[in-house]
Amino acid sequence: VSTLPAPQALPPGNEALRARLLGLFHQDRLHHCMIFEGPPGVGKAASALWLAMAVNCERSGSGAEPCGACWSCRSIQRGQHPDVIQVGLDPEKATPIISVKQARDLLGQLSLHPFHARRRTIIIEPADALNPEAANALLKTLEEPPRATGFVLVTSRPMDLLPTVRSRGQRVRFGAVELERLVPWLQAQQVDQAGELARLGEGCPLRALALAEGGLATWREARDRLVQAISGGTAARLAWSETHARGERAEVSGEIALCLDALQLLMRDVLRRLACRAPADQLYNSDRIELVDAWADRLGLMGLVRLDQAMREAQLDLEANVNPRLAMDALLSRFGAELRPGRAP
Ligand SMILES: [Zn+2]
């Protein structure tokens, strides 16, 4: 008998929410199409799997945690349970979508009866990647799934779901975890700088963990390159866009999301320094406190508000498929202008 992984690979937080869902299942009132929404890395997909385990566990009594050891729990943990189906991005597509081919394949699987499960569970993640064709193929089934079958649509961008999909689901909102709980959990995962990562991960355990696994250095490098591009004038800015934002949006979206994140967190730190003199160790960019203060001096609240508006415009442009290089160059140029030394605040 092999040693088993702990059944609760679950991150901390949202315990009451999960308990409520399990309670609803035992009252036979669990909605057949739930939308698990909340910030990335908060444990939505992990909770969907936990729920699938809990409702199908062969050993735990009603209302209890899944045992993690029975056949059902173990096959769900390994991703091999025939009745717990996970649908993710189509690996055959260059763009990040869930395709109509995957949707049809899923419908085919659902036309058979469940093998073993008390409740067959289909987890679609990220559900906002369902393209319209795929979503339309699934609509009828989302509304009236086969017997003993339930959907969990996992997304951190619920507003990007098609309205027809959103209206068929019951929204279940996951929230960030308090730092007082997140820090000890990160420490128990043997993570250095747990306090800093908990803050940077914005209370999302799995995001903080990803930052710990090399992500923190990547994030800081991306931020520092950006700051250099902003302060280095036109040539530096163009060189940055040429290297980091060249290509179609889908190809560069990871890099750009990282940059927009970095700018956003810098601006939040600037705001907290300006508004309440937040101490350095409570900032996201605690390693660049001089930079944060220099930005605070040059921007003032008005400059910050203008840049916030510029960020919003860049995001809308990118969503409207404006060439990423142009959108980012325009954004960095606004930052450059606002941060120019000697500029009147
Ligand atoms: Zn079990």
Side-chain angles (χ1 to χ4, degrees):
V1 179
S2 61
T3 45
L4 301 165
Q8 291 84 17
L10 270 178
N14 297 290
E15 288 84 0
L17 187 57
R18 281 191 292 269
R20 197 153 70 235
L21 292 171
L22 191 54
L24 285 171
F25 170 77
H26 289 297
Q27 298 162 26
D28 204 15
R29 287 171 50 212
L30 199 58
H31 198 278
H32 58 263
C33 178
M34 292 183 286
I35 300 173
F36 280 16
E37 60 182 66
V42 80
K44 303 180 295 294
S47 295
L49 276 176
W50 176 91
L51 186 63
M53 277 167 70
V55 303
N56 289 306
C57 179
E58 293 160 6
R59 291 192 193 160
S60 80
S62 82
E65 297 274 323
C67 76
C70 69
W71 174 86
S72 173
C73 282
R74 288 166 58 189
S75 17
I76 293 174
Q77 268 175 335
R78 288 196 214 108
Q80 293 170 346
H81 195 295
D83 299 323
V84 176
I85 305 170
Q86 299 186 60
V87 182
L89 298 177
D90 189 338
E92 291 174 12
K93 303 280 182 193
T95 49
I97 61 161
I98 296 174
S99 65
V100 69
K101 181 164 164 260
Q102 291 171 289
R104 293 205 182 109
D105 177 41
L106 174 64
L107 291 176
Q109 294 185 58
L110 295 184
S111 64
L112 302 173
H113 289 290
F115 293 88
H116 306 278
R118 279 179 220 135
R119 181 179 170 98
R120 179 162 59 180
T121 304
I122 297 101
I123 301 170
I124 302 185
E125 189 212 5
D128 47 89
L130 279 166
N131 76 358
E133 232 185 327
N136 285 329
L138 291 177
L139 278 187
K140 228 182 90 204
T141 311
L142 291 177
E143 189 157 270
E144 269 182 73
R147 201 179 56 80
T149 299
F151 283 86
V152 180
L153 309 181
V154 178
T155 179
S156 49
R157 303 160 57 121
M159 295 321 285
D160 288 356
L161 294 177
L162 283 188
T164 44
V165 170
R166 209 166 49 233
S167 67
R168 278 164 173 81
Q170 181 179 65
R171 296 171 76 166
V172 179
R173 294 185 176 85
F174 286 73
V177 185
E178 314 81 62
L179 294 188
E180 301 76 56
R181 296 199 52 209
L182 187 45
V183 172
W185 181 78
L186 285 169
Q187 283 163 343
Q189 318 290 313
Q190 318 289 333
V191 161
D192 294 331
Q193 301 171 294
E196 189 167 12
L197 289 165
R199 264 198 316 282
L200 272 173
E202 310 220 86
C204 298
L206 303 177
R207 194 167 156 201
L209 211 51
L211 282 169
E213 285 157 7
L216 182 59
T218 313
W219 180 81
R220 285 186 171 160
E221 279 162 29
R223 176 200 61 194
D224 292 345
R225 281 197 304 267
L226 261 181
V227 169
Q228 266 175 4
I230 288 171
S231 61
T234 314
R237 210 173 62 228
L238 289 175
W240 183 93
S241 308
E242 187 69 19
T243 322
H244 299 288
R246 195 192 177 121
E248 294 300 315
R249 182 170 184 230
E251 293 162 24
V252 294
S253 64
E255 178 82 20
I256 287 182
L258 193 67
C259 294
L260 293 177
D261 249 20
L263 287 175
Q264 204 109 55
L265 293 183
L266 267 170
M267 287 167 59
R268 276 197 234 171
D269 279 354
V270 169
L271 177 63
R272 292 174 65 208
R273 285 295 265 188
L274 281 172
C276 57
R277 301 301 306 167
D281 65 356
Q282 285 179 18
L283 299 182
Y284 298 110
N285 298 278
S286 51
D287 61 320
R288 296 290 310 264
I289 182 71
E290 284 156 33
L291 174 78
V292 172
D293 283 343
W295 279 34
D297 277 349
R298 298 217 179 124
L299 292 176
L301 279 175
M302 288 315 292
L304 204 56
V305 168
R306 287 191 294 268
L307 285 183
D308 185 52
Q309 181 62 28
M311 292 277 286
R312 195 168 316 222
E313 284 162 20
Q315 259 155 341
L316 290 174
D317 280 351
L318 287 164
E319 275 162 29
N321 271 325
V322 168
N323 178 322
R325 201 154 40 124
L326 295 180
M328 287 308 287
D329 188 57
L331 179 65
L332 298 188
S333 137
R334 293 278 292 272
F335 270 81
E338 291 287 350
L339 286 161
R340 209 168 38 228
R343 188 183 193 288

